Amino acid sequence: MRIGELAARTGLSKDTLRFYERIGLLDGDRLPNGYRDFPPETVIWLRYVRTAQALGFTLAEIARHGEELRDAPDSAEALSALFEDKIRIIDARMAELTALRADLTSRVGTGCPLRAEGGGR
């Protein structure tokens, strides 16, 4: 299928599809007339990409892990391991944000910490 049909079937723009192709996330064949041709399973792959993005995975992670999952003897087990890793990253980030929030909360009403004491405006 050509890029216009792929865009219509996935709800993604042609520019997004071209970007995915540039970064190696999407692979289409070039026809003699220069048009891109994508196999039907590309629609399923792009649904996976969008779902993975919604779950917090970056495009680089999706590209890297997509290949790993295709080669995994047990893709469900491999996918669960990826989710567990992502949960650990999220937990660490939440702890960092909680600490940052506590620091900011403790500074509310204390004035500007960058202004020298006793200095004017």
Side-chain angles (χ1 to χ4, degrees), residues 8-67:
R9 291 182 66 186
T10 61
L12 298 170
S13 72
K14 292 180 197 177
D15 286 339
T16 297
L17 296 173
R18 287 183 191 107
F19 173 72
Y20 285 178
E21 191 174 26
R22 261 194 323 277
I23 65 171
L25 198 59
L26 187 60
D27 190 27
D29 294 325
R30 285 286 181 166
L31 300 174
N33 60 7
Y35 291 142
R36 293 169 180 86
D37 185 44
F38 299 95
E41 59 269 12
T42 304
V43 173
I44 296 165
W45 167 247
L46 290 171
R47 286 186 188 132
Y48 168 81
V49 169
R50 300 306 279 182
T51 300
Q53 278 187 299
L55 292 173
F57 289 89
T58 65
L59 291 176
E61 289 172 324
I62 294 166
R64 184 174 59 250
H65 297 312
E67 290 179 18

Side-chain angles (χ1 to χ4, degrees), residues 1 5 11-12 19 36 63 65 81 87 93-94 103 109 111-112 116:
M1 91 186 70
E5 182 182 350
L12 298 170
F19 173 72
R36 293 169 180 86
H65 297 312
I87 290 167
R93 183 68 180 136
M94 287 174 59
D103 188 22
C112 180

Side-chain angles (χ1 to χ4, degrees), residues 40-119:
E41 59 269 12
T42 304
V43 173
I44 296 165
W45 167 247
L46 290 171
R47 286 186 188 132
Y48 168 81
V49 169
R50 300 306 279 182
T51 300
Q53 278 187 299
L55 292 173
F57 289 89
T58 65
L59 291 176
E61 289 172 324
I62 294 166
R64 184 174 59 250
H65 297 312
E67 290 179 18
E68 291 173 11
L69 290 174
R70 279 192 284 271
D71 297 336
D74 182 348
S75 61
E77 185 178 314
L79 191 56
S80 290
L82 289 176
F83 288 162
E84 289 168 355
D85 287 345
K86 192 55 134 176
I87 290 167
R88 280 190 285 279
I89 291 167
I90 290 169
D91 286 345
R93 183 68 180 136
M94 287 174 59
E96 291 170 3
L97 289 171
T98 299
L100 177 59
R101 186 181 195 290
D103 188 22
L104 288 169
T105 300
S106 72
R107 293 171 188 256
V108 169
T110 63
C112 180
L114 302 177
R115 210 177 277 160
E117 288 298 317

